[in-house]
Amino acid sequence: MQASRKLAAIFSSDVFGYSRLMGDDEQATLEAIVETRRLMAAHVERHDGRVVDATGDALLAEFASAVEAVRCAREIQRELALKNAHLPEHRRMLVRIGLNLGDVLERDGALYGDGVNIAARLQTAGEPGGVCISGSVLEQVEGKLPLRFEPVGEHHFKNIARAVRAYHVRDAVRDAVRDDVRDGADGSVPVPAEPLVAPPERPAPRHNLPRQLSSFVGRASDIAAVKQMLLRHRLVTLLGPGGIGKTRLSLQVAAELAGDYPDGVWLVELAALADARLVTQAVASVLGIKEEAGRPVIEAVLKSLADKQLLLILDNCEHLLQACAELAQQLLRSGADLKVLATSREHLHLTGEASFLVPALAAPDPQGAASAGELQQLDAVRLFVDRATAAQPAFQVTDKNAAAVAAICYQLDGIPLALELAAACVRTLPVAHIATHLGDRFNLFKGGDRTARPGQQTLLAAMDWSHALLTLQERALLRRLAVFAGGWTLDAAEAVGAGGDLQRGQVVELLGRLVEKSLVTMKPDSGRYLLLQTVRQYAQDRLNESDDADVARSRHLLFYLELAERASALLAGPEQGTWLERLDPEQENILSAHSWCDRADNGAESGLRLMFALKLYLFNRGLLEALRRGTLEALARPGAEVRNIFRCRALHTAGQVGFFMGRFAEAQTQLEEALSIANEVGDTGRAASVLQALGMTCVEQGDRVEAHRYMEQELALAQQRGDQRELAAALNALAQLHRIEGTLDSAEPLYQQGLALARQIGDRGTTAVALLNLAMVAIGRESPGRAGGMLLEALDIAESVGSRPTGGNVLAVCTGLAALRSDWAQAAWFLGAAQAQMQHTGIRLDAADEAFLAPLVAQARQALATDPFAAAEQAARMLTYEQAIGAARKWLIQQEAG
């Protein structure tokens, strides 16, 4: 059911001292609550209202008419006063009622929105036994009811953006009751002439905070954190890039704290000031301090504030940092009870300054699919929806448009200004269109708030403001950093950012300055830097306008090519796990570098080298399709047709990947060309490795004669060259062929020799492959005890280096082990888990493994029956890789223990 918006008078009430009453006599209080609720519901119905919710001691109702709402509240309090007159003072049910007239959203009978929230806040601000109304109610009822309304000032309620004018309804209960019962005409007990005791009223807070025209969404934890900081520190600076919401957060915090400062909270807006000498004058003007003739204005300000308890907000200090810092220091020294809350894109750099980095609003995970309801739990989505609904009242998030809304909030980094500008576009554009055109966000979001300061009217203006405050060197580095995708390290920034007038040794200092100015973000846990997408797009636009673009992108390519080649040499040894993790955060940069090979000088050779260097990384991470696609793209570039070692290695990679993915005919063609080039250039090591892949491809295509020929040639070459890694691979391949042919006695010693060599050279990948093959031999020989230990070791390797293909193969072999142990349901479970991982990585079982597994799966399927087998298989398919591997480890340990 869709939500509908309407105007309603909202009635909200609770019982003052409810917890005390319950503690005093729980049963009596419950009975009194039930009776009070019945009485109130009857009055609500009598005045054409509707009870929306009644939980605990609270009651929420709505009325179409504000006049009827006030009449109802008056009658309820009158009747409750009569009932309370018969009770001891400590047992009286003193109800507080708040009334507000405002917009609400109704869905499934429930009410939502600020219209409801304000009524609830007025209720808590009301007197026990009294009625507290908002200014919007007063406008409807004044002059229509014989009542007096006593103003109690503007209230800044938590999570309500705008101040609310509040009024106590006087004589609505007490005078009317006294008129009726003073003489006891109705036989009731007279009501005392004295009014009910109410808590002392606090004076209305003093401030110059502007009324906000839109609601404040989210940031509950941020508000709490800043409040805590202001308790402990006298100078707090809110930091962040343009549009992140520093000013709005400062105003919300100030509004909620207004009553805590007897001399008020005062906003000094500095964005429009260009002259630093006018900062002190701006403060004096806001505070109404007059300059003394012949004396500096700072003296008058310091003298006036010496004994004041107030909070001063210095908003937008970044372009006047020195002046703001000097003024803040003088103010804090002059008055012990004065505090300063500043907003800036960089620190004031004062002793005692506490800083709070204003975060972006929580946005959806781009990898996850969420329903409309789940999305609206996130602050970024809530803000977007709130502003979109204001622009287009019929707008709502549905499961149909949820993906587009999620994409908008993610790509806009959860930046409030960007979200608000995007939401304004909902008036004229569907969200799907907005989501697909965010690459041109600076042109798309031009319809900003005309009343906002110039730097906040559009997204481009906000970025221009920050850019204008940078030095020429800072601008140069910022635009060059736009070539990075997904973040970068310091050494990467030095390699790419240096050039021209910018020396490598200067990069670290300039990078620090960009972090200080909130344009670059540094993640302390990883030491990596990144640009928010909005900042990155702006910097890319500036890069494309400059003469730096091609040079910066070529340096970026060179850096990641060298990194990948350095890693490649270590990805087959004992440091494999370390280097896999080192490359993980660089995936986006590497793919970006690969794309630039289309235009780079000598890009054909660079692309071939890059994809070959990434082979082991992408394979171990189960990214075979990315490896295949990237390698084929590199082979197809103009210039890549030259028959050299770079093309040979790329063809070899393409053939290997094709084999693993079941593209055997395609793989054979690529491998035959690779072998031909290897022989032409005299690279016997490459030739040996290609021969192994060719032999396995022939096995898959049923040509065992050719397979034997290729594999024996490979073994001879490896022995001739003394290459232990290649020899271990050759022994494993030849053993595979023997296992397919059913000669385990010939296969097992070859596997063992290969395992010994792999252990000797520290090649953990080949070690895991040999262990898996030996485990299958042990299962074939019906020796489950031997197999379990080898599978656990292979699993250790898979987890330590993060190799998903190895982990998937462990699950597949566990299928056979479970079947051998007649654990049929577990066998079905392992099969489903293995199939899910193979589907994810794109790897299929080779002929030898298929021959091993097929009869064991058939036994399990027959023993368990079709439906239970399918159920167990499907249950495992639903698990994540980590869950499946964890379950496999637990099962293997149990088997070893048993």
Side-chain angles (χ1 to χ4, degrees):
M1 182 177 178
Q2 295 185 353
S4 60
R5 187 177 292 276
K6 64 182 179 180
L7 182 70
I10 304 301
F11 173 113
S12 179
S13 72
D14 72 350
V15 175
F16 179 73
Y18 172 67
S19 298
R20 175 187 56 77
L21 290 166
M22 287 290 286
D24 182 52
D25 190 332
E26 189 175 86
Q27 189 59 40
T29 301
L30 288 174
E31 292 174 0
I33 289 287
V34 170
E35 177 59 29
T36 300
R37 188 181 297 158
R38 187 182 297 117
L39 177 154
M40 295 171 74
H43 281 288
V44 169
E45 183 178 357
R46 188 176 302 126
H47 289 273
D48 298 323
R50 176 177 75 92
V51 173
V52 177
D53 187 28
T55 305
D57 66 321
L59 186 138
L60 181 69
E62 66 165 332
F63 296 81
S65 163
V67 172
E68 289 304 310
V70 174
R71 282 176 174 159
C72 177
R74 177 185 182 225
E75 290 181 9
I76 287 172
Q77 293 292 36
R78 174 179 177 177
E79 187 167 345
L80 288 176
L82 291 170
K83 288 181 175 292
N84 282 325
H86 296 273
L87 298 173
E89 186 174 346
H90 70 283
R91 292 304 304 165
R92 291 177 178 175
M93 300 294 288
L94 300 178
V95 170
R96 299 182 297 185
I97 298 176
L99 297 176
N100 178 53
L101 180 68
D103 282 342
V104 296
L105 284 171
E106 180 178 5
R107 182 168 183 172
D108 298 330
L111 298 180
Y112 305 91
D114 279 357
V116 177
N117 297 335
I118 291 171
R121 301 296 190 271
L122 288 167
Q123 156 211 304
T124 59
E127 300 170 331
V131 180
C132 187
I133 65 172
S134 65
S136 59
V137 173
L138 178 66
E139 290 170 3
Q140 296 295 313
V141 304
E142 196 168 25
K144 299 177 183 178
L145 296 172
L147 303 170
R148 182 169 62 86
F149 304 99
E150 180 181 297
V152 288
E154 290 189 337
H155 283 252
H156 291 268
F157 296 124
K158 183 177 180 181
N159 296 328
I160 303 299
R162 61 188 182 279
V164 177
R165 289 178 294 125
Y167 301 83
H168 289 317
V169 179
R170 295 303 186 198
D171 304 329
V173 175
R174 292 190 289 264
D175 286 359
V177 171
R178 285 198 294 271
D179 290 343
D180 287 345
V181 303
R182 188 180 302 277
D183 299 326
D186 62 355
S188 62
V189 177
V191 177
E194 295 78 10
L196 294 171
V197 177
E201 296 179 10
R202 297 177 68 176
R206 300 173 59 203
H207 62 79
N208 69 333
L209 303 177
R211 290 188 180 184
Q212 300 302 317
L213 301 179
S214 58
S215 59
F216 186 88
V217 177
R219 294 206 184 278
S221 60
D222 298 339
I223 292 171
V226 176
K227 284 181 175 179
Q228 282 297 114
M229 294 179 78
L230 282 168
L231 288 175
R232 299 192 303 270
H233 306 279
R234 298 184 59 216
L235 169 61
V236 176
T237 305
L238 306 185
L239 298 169
I244 202 71
K246 302 181 295 295
T247 297
R248 194 65 188 272
L249 177 59
S250 71
L251 294 178
Q252 187 67 24
V253 169
E256 295 190 17
L257 293 178
D260 295 347
Y261 294 89
D263 296 303
V265 295
W266 304 98
L267 170 66
V268 182
E269 298 177 285
L270 302 173
L273 291 187
D275 189 341
R277 293 171 297 180
L278 297 178
V279 172
T280 304
Q281 185 63 57
V283 173
S285 177
V286 165
L287 297 174
I289 299 171
K290 294 183 179 180
E291 184 176 356
E292 297 179 12
R295 305 189 70 82
V297 68
I298 184 63
E299 290 188 12
V301 170
L302 296 178
K303 179 180 178 181
S304 174
L305 299 183
D307 59 349
K308 294 292 192 299
Q309 286 184 271
L310 60 81
L311 175 65
L312 189 68
I313 305 167
L314 300 178
D315 187 39
N316 291 109
C317 299
E318 56 271 352
H319 61 305
L320 302 165
L321 277 176
Q322 186 65 31
C324 289
E326 290 175 359
L327 175 62
Q329 187 175 58
Q330 289 177 295
L331 290 173
L332 294 171
R333 284 177 176 173
S334 70
D337 293 322
L338 180 145
K339 294 190 177 184
V340 175
L341 178 62
T343 75
S344 177
R345 301 187 190 190
E346 59 181 301
H347 296 82
L348 299 186
H349 292 291
L350 285 179
T351 301
E353 177 186 20
S355 61
F356 180 80
L357 184 60
V358 179
L361 298 177
D365 179 354
Q367 305 301 323
S371 67
E374 291 170 331
L375 281 180
Q376 292 185 86
Q377 302 302 310
L378 299 169
D379 282 351
V381 178
R382 290 176 56 208
L383 178 65
F384 177 81
V385 172
D386 183 88
R387 302 306 192 253
T389 305
Q392 174 54 266
F395 175 79
Q396 60 180 320
V397 183
T398 65
D399 288 342
K400 184 177 180 180
N401 67 13
V405 171
I408 291 169
C409 295
Y410 169 73
Q411 292 184 59
L412 293 179
D413 308 299
I415 297 176
L417 174 62
L419 293 169
E420 292 185 339
L421 293 171
C425 295
V426 172
R427 185 182 296 110
T428 56
L429 296 172
V431 288
H433 180 91
I434 298 171
T436 56
H437 285 74
L438 289 177
D440 194 26
R441 67 192 69 180
F442 295 114
N443 286 319
L444 183 64
F445 303 156
K446 285 186 173 179
D449 182 355
R450 293 188 180 90
T451 66
R453 66 179 178 82
Q456 292 292 320
Q457 287 183 5
T458 69
L459 201 56
L460 180 59
M463 289 306 308
D464 282 342
W465 171 272
S466 291
H467 191 255
L469 299 176
L470 302 179
T471 66
L472 292 178
Q473 286 188 320
E474 289 168 348
R475 294 179 190 181
L477 180 59
L478 177 65
R479 64 177 178 260
R480 293 170 189 174
L481 294 175
V483 302
F484 290 105
W488 65 89
T489 57
L490 177 58
D491 57 339
E494 291 174 330
V496 174
D501 294 336
L502 185 54
Q503 302 301 313
R504 188 182 182 100
Q506 295 175 290
V507 170
V508 62
E509 179 187 352
L510 292 170
L511 184 59
R513 287 191 214 163
L514 292 176
V515 173
E516 281 283 322
K517 295 174 187 292
S518 303
L519 287 168
V520 172
T521 301
M522 197 273 279
K523 294 185 174 180
D525 56 336
S526 64
R528 289 181 66 80
Y529 300 85
L530 60 86
L531 294 174
L532 294 176
Q533 288 300 315
T534 297
V535 178
R536 183 176 182 235
Q537 185 182 323
Y538 181 88
Q540 280 180 327
D541 290 344
R542 303 292 78 75
L543 180 66
N544 293 336
E545 295 167 357
S546 74
D547 297 329
D548 289 347
D550 288 1
V551 174
R553 292 186 175 109
S554 294
R555 287 194 187 118
H556 179 269
L557 167 60
L558 179 60
F559 177 84
Y560 285 102
L561 174 58
E562 292 176 349
L563 175 66
E565 290 185 330
R566 187 163 73 252
S568 179
L570 299 166
L571 283 173
E575 295 182 64
Q576 182 183 47
T578 299
W579 278 94
L580 286 172
E581 291 181 1
R582 172 70 176 84
L583 291 180
D584 278 340
E586 305 295 1
Q587 283 190 31
E588 291 183 62
N589 277 313
I590 290 168
L591 292 175
S592 176
H594 174 64
S595 296
W596 179 244
C597 290
D598 290 341
R599 296 176 54 189
D601 292 338
N602 202 27
E605 180 182 313
S606 296
L608 293 170
R609 287 169 58 191
L610 182 61
M611 293 314 301
F612 174 74
L614 292 172
K615 178 175 73 173
L616 287 177
Y617 170 74
L618 292 173
F619 177 81
N620 277 288
R621 288 303 187 242
L623 301 172
L624 264 71
E625 180 54 39
L627 176 58
R628 175 179 176 273
R629 184 173 60 251
T631 302
L632 293 180
E633 288 173 359
L635 285 165
R637 284 194 181 100
E641 68 278 0
V642 178
R643 291 173 66 83
N644 56 23
I645 190 59
F646 304 116
R647 181 173 181 81
C648 175
R649 295 188 313 190
L651 285 165
H652 181 202
T653 299
Q656 285 179 305
V657 175
F659 165 79
F660 285 119
M661 298 181 75
R663 300 172 175 269
F664 304 122
E666 177 185 306
Q668 184 165 355
T669 300
Q670 293 159 340
L671 291 168
E672 286 173 347
E673 184 182 351
L675 181 60
S676 174
I677 296 174
N679 289 332
E680 288 173 17
V681 300
D683 190 335
T684 56
R686 182 63 46 194
S689 186
V690 175
L691 283 166
Q692 179 203 336
L694 266 171
M696 297 301 296
T697 303
C698 289
V699 169
E700 294 294 336
Q701 297 181 99
D703 190 347
R704 293 184 186 174
V705 173
E706 278 294 279
H708 269 289
R709 184 172 71 83
Y710 283 133
M711 289 179 182
E712 286 165 1
Q713 286 181 29
E714 179 207 7
L715 184 60
L717 270 177
Q719 290 171 333
Q720 176 186 329
R721 298 181 69 250
D723 186 334
Q724 291 181 305
R725 179 170 282 108
E726 190 59 47
L727 183 56
L731 290 167
N732 183 75
L734 192 56
Q736 288 285 82
L737 186 53
H738 286 303
R739 185 156 64 87
I740 290 171
E741 294 170 339
T743 55
L744 295 183
D745 287 343
S746 298
E748 187 169 11
L750 293 174
Y751 282 138
Q752 289 173 338
Q753 290 177 54
L755 176 61
L757 281 172
R759 291 191 193 280
Q760 183 179 332
I761 61 177
D763 185 342
R764 304 189 76 190
T766 303
T767 298
V769 170
L771 287 166
L772 286 164
N773 287 324
L774 283 168
M776 285 186 275
V777 169
I779 293 169
R781 294 184 182 281
E782 298 188 356
S783 301
R786 290 173 52 208
M790 289 185 282
L791 288 173
L792 272 172
E793 186 179 351
L795 191 56
D796 286 340
I797 294 172
E799 289 193 279
S800 65
V801 303
S803 175
R804 292 189 70 150
T806 300
N809 285 330
V810 170
L811 294 170
V813 180
C814 281
T815 304
L817 180 58
L820 179 63
R821 292 183 176 276
S822 300
D823 192 345
W824 311 120
Q826 191 65 53
W829 188 95
F830 276 125
L831 179 65
Q835 289 173 338
Q837 296 313 311
M838 289 176 190
Q839 184 177 1
H840 176 82
T841 60
I843 295 176
R844 60 177 297 281
L845 293 175
D846 61 32
D849 295 346
E850 284 278 13
F852 156 77
L853 207 55
L856 293 165
V857 169
Q859 288 179 32
R861 198 183 299 275
Q862 183 176 7
L864 194 58
T866 302
D867 289 346
F869 189 96
E873 190 178 11
Q874 184 60 30
R877 283 178 172 273
M878 304 303 292
L879 299 179
T880 65
Y881 171 78
E882 291 74 19
Q883 289 171 329
I885 291 298
R889 174 177 293 283
K890 183 177 179 180
W891 183 80
L892 285 168
I893 291 172
Q894 289 173 343
Q895 300 307 306
E896 289 292 284

